[in-house]
Amino acid sequence: MITNGSLFFDPLILERVKEADLIIPSLDTVDPEAFQVINRPHPELRLAAIIEGLIHLGQLPGPRIWLEVLFLRGLNDQPAQIEALSRTIEQINPEKVQINTVVRPPVEAFAQALDYPALETIRGRLGPRAEIIAPPMVKTDFQKEMLESEILGLVARRPCTAEDLSRLTGLSRQRTLELLNRLLNEKKIVCEVFNQKDFFLSR
């Protein structure tokens, strides 16, 4: 059974699912503000009640629980958020924690995917029961052009370090450096040193 997991605080719902073999509920965050942005819940739903229901679900003797978490860049991927989520997951005690991110064009522009290294970092923080179910992202030529355009747009506004660009684009530092080297070789950007740091600028 795949479910958004929002109604397990209701004893009647728990009673109905107690004979299930496998239940896959979702819990994307325990941060109330992020919850409102990501999940857009019904006004009567409360995050605390949802979490309490999932904890009760985890206490049922029958069903196996695989908890799915969808991570979005800049919304629920910060270390403090992940630490709080990890503590709640310990209370829910699922058999698995399935880590996911956006894998198809989102409806909302704010729903940006995490790259695979970021997902790997989160997996490490969530412990041995966590696994990544999002497929590795294979960049098409079009996607590469979009990334290059994004970087060119950023350095056109102001000089940026590789670390700045990695943070702003959500790419790993290694991937950012690969793109910067390509743009340097193609003479689309220049690199200048200031205060012992490399800054990248548009030509």
Side-chain angles (χ1 to χ4, degrees), residues 100-148:
N100 208 349
T101 191
V102 178
V103 295
R104 54 180 62 87
V107 175
E108 300 291 350
F110 65 75
Q112 297 296 310
L114 273 68
D115 63 17
Y116 217 72
L119 295 177
E120 284 283 7
T121 298
I122 291 171
R123 184 188 62 78
R125 288 174 176 164
L126 293 182
R129 75 182 85 191
E131 62 181 13
I132 298 171
I133 62 172
M137 296 177 190
V138 178
K139 299 296 183 184
T140 64
D141 289 341
F142 174 73
Q143 289 170 316
K144 290 176 182 176
E145 290 175 8
M146 291 294 290
L147 287 172
E148 290 182 3

Side-chain angles (χ1 to χ4, degrees), residues 16-59:
R16 290 175 183 172
V17 302
K18 69 179 183 180
E19 302 299 330
D21 176 57
L22 174 64
I23 301 176
I24 307 177
S26 61
L27 179 66
D28 301 327
T29 183
V30 296
D31 180 330
E33 291 184 10
F35 173 68
Q36 291 294 325
V37 175
I38 296 169
N39 299 110
R40 296 185 176 182
H42 186 279
E44 294 183 4
L45 284 176
R46 296 291 178 265
L47 179 58
I50 292 172
I51 292 170
E52 182 181 357
L54 290 171
I55 292 171
H56 289 319
L57 177 68
Q59 293 169 346

